[in-house]
Amino acid sequence: MTVFRLTRATTLSAEKAWRRVTDWRAHAARVPLTSVTGVVSGGAAAGPPSSGQRAAFTEGTVFTVRTGVGRVGVDDPMEVVCWTPPAAGRPGRCRLVKRGNVVKGWAEIEVLPTRAGPDAGCVVVWTEELSLRPLPRLLDPLVAQVGRVVFGRALDGALRSPAEDN
């Protein structure tokens, strides 16, 4: 397994940054050939959100991110095991555990407020432990580098995209 960390400072409020960086469908949309499927929340299947509405992903939500074309691809099933949105100056924290046979590990997103008021800002820290079976450990540095690029682009896009502020 390899671990990598991404840190981004933004002028967004912690609450707004949280909404953006925990929108899994928007993340998937920024990664080529990737989509979110099979969402189960609270024991019930959750269909796609209606136009302009954001899906509710909270603790206990299980979903799969699929990357591929047609039948050829990789499923990355994961579960939200911690969901603590930021509030009243308190940091937000979300932890996902990857439950697949090919993709293993976890991801943790922290949103740390830096200021309050109209000039609010925050720091977003994304830490990921990732293992891709059957790749040998020798390739961990390459997996980490690719992870930093792919997740970094998705994170950067989320933090600058005003369309997800609903």
Side-chain angles (χ1 to χ4, degrees), residues 21-162:
V21 301
T22 60
D23 185 340
W24 314 125
R25 284 187 170 94
H27 277 283
R30 290 185 181 89
V31 178
L33 308 174
T34 301
S35 62
V36 173
T37 63
V39 178
V40 178
S41 182
S50 61
S51 179
Q53 183 184 32
R54 189 172 171 268
F57 286 81
T58 60
E59 195 167 316
T61 298
V62 177
F63 61 101
T64 300
V65 175
R66 178 162 180 76
T67 301
V69 176
R71 297 175 133 176
V72 178
V74 174
D75 288 335
D76 181 6
M78 56 189 86
E79 179 180 356
V80 179
V81 296
C82 176
W83 182 269
T84 309
R90 182 193 74 217
R93 182 173 166 259
C94 174
R95 185 175 179 91
L96 306 166
V97 175
K98 296 171 177 288
R99 306 268 190 220
N101 293 324
V102 176
V103 182
K104 295 294 228 181
W106 52 265
E108 188 166 286
I109 301 168
E110 297 171 284
V111 177
L112 311 163
T114 55
R115 295 182 303 280
D119 294 327
C122 66
V123 172
V124 176
V125 180
W126 181 309
T127 307
E128 182 121 4
E129 180 182 82
L130 187 60
S131 174
L132 299 175
R133 292 185 183 168
L135 295 180
R137 292 186 59 100
L138 175 68
L139 295 179
D140 281 355
L142 177 61
V143 170
Q145 183 59 37
V146 170
R148 277 191 287 277
V149 169
V150 170
F151 290 106
R153 285 183 181 165
L155 182 57
D156 292 342
L159 292 174
R160 69 173 176 259
S161 178

